[in-house]
Amino acid sequence: LFPESITTEQQSLVLVKRLLAISVSCITYMRGLFPESSYGTRYLDDLCLKILREDKSCLGSLQIVKWIQGCFDALEKQYVNLGFYALSSNPTVTEMYQFKFKYKNKVPQMDISSNHREFVAGLCSKDVKQASRLLLRTLYLLMQDLGPLPSDITLSMKLLYYNHVTPKDYQPPGFKEDGSPGDLLFAGDPINLKVGSVSTDFHLMKVRVTTEKKRVKKADSNLIQKNGPTEISHQGLDCEEDEEEEECTKINLLSLAFSQEEVIGPEKKRKVSEPEKLPLNGRK
């Protein structure tokens, strides 16, 4: 699943991409968005991972795979600052999954005295892999503690960028400029759950989940961030005091509608992003 060694920027990028793809696959599988046929099975130690694949019989899962590939493009160019998936039941958000990315642009120090392999001073590959396993395991455990979703759910994805490096006309493949309102509203009292983070010498990826407090059956108190907001602005997502100067308000949107009974058409109010109707077979 992960590169044998994580000592170069390319190896680090591969790790971050795989972590993102596996995490999104975990979310969609554990929340019952797509049928079993849309997933392949891989193992990480004793953890059974269900990973999204291009299932032509389920156009919804195909669309999500395209979303992930679009995010890969923004990761490769080091443009994307934050990606989040929101599960909504009009007009409010039910669950939100945040993936925050940083790029360290570190020049590795090479040990030229080694004739057999390159040595990079910095974070140990073993520790990075251990952090990756812990993040995925925590995410899986958290998914098991969330209450059932409403019957009609809309899944949307947004990308926010580092504006100082991102061209104004840049859009990842399959994305359009977002023109939707800037606030995400929760019906009840939401809590922020820190899933974990993985840091290499070149990248940092953090994962957080926001949902209504009543929907979490039980949660490790170490995961909970207190004083969760009832209204979250795009500009305030994953906001940290030492990062307030970062401009990352450029947003992309793709939206997808799910129904347990039948397919709901594209969300009408989001004219800027109108994916084709997806003949989903219903959620698990």
Side-chain angles (χ1 to χ4, degrees), residues 138-170:
T138 303
L139 185 58
Y140 262 77
L141 291 174
L142 176 60
M143 294 295 97
Q144 294 174 14
D145 286 335
L146 293 179
L149 291 169
S151 58
D152 292 334
I153 274 291
T154 296
L155 173 63
S156 62
M157 178 184 181
K158 296 178 186 286
L159 296 179
L160 286 74
Y161 301 90
Y162 290 104
N163 279 0
H164 65 287
V165 296
T166 306
K168 291 184 178 180
D169 60 350
Y170 171 74

Side-chain angles (χ1 to χ4, degrees), residues 191-194 213 216 219-226:
I191 57 173
N192 292 315
L193 303 171
K194 297 181 292 183
K213 188 174 183 179
V216 183
D220 187 334
S221 59
N222 293 327
L223 299 180
I224 299 176
Q225 289 183 291
K226 296 182 179 180

Side-chain angles (χ1 to χ4, degrees), residues 224-235:
I224 299 176
Q225 289 183 291
K226 296 182 179 180
N227 301 321
T230 55
E231 179 176 297
I232 299 177
S233 169
H234 290 157
Q235 289 87 341

Side-chain angles (χ1 to χ4, degrees), residues 206-262:
K206 295 194 297 184
V207 181
R208 300 184 184 184
V209 177
T210 305
T211 188
E212 294 176 40
K213 188 174 183 179
K214 65 180 181 181
R215 295 178 45 74
V216 183
K217 298 175 185 176
K218 56 180 180 178
D220 187 334
S221 59
N222 293 327
L223 299 180
I224 299 176
Q225 289 183 291
K226 296 182 179 180
N227 301 321
T230 55
E231 179 176 297
I232 299 177
S233 169
H234 290 157
Q235 289 87 341
L237 286 168
D238 198 46
C239 183
E240 298 178 5
E241 290 183 4
D242 61 347
E243 295 174 357
E244 288 180 351
E245 74 279 4
E246 292 179 356
E247 296 183 33
C248 54
T249 58
K250 184 182 177 189
I251 300 167
N252 288 327
L253 167 69
L254 286 173
S255 63
L256 181 64
F258 297 88
S259 170
Q260 195 157 15
E261 315 299 330
E262 59 184 356

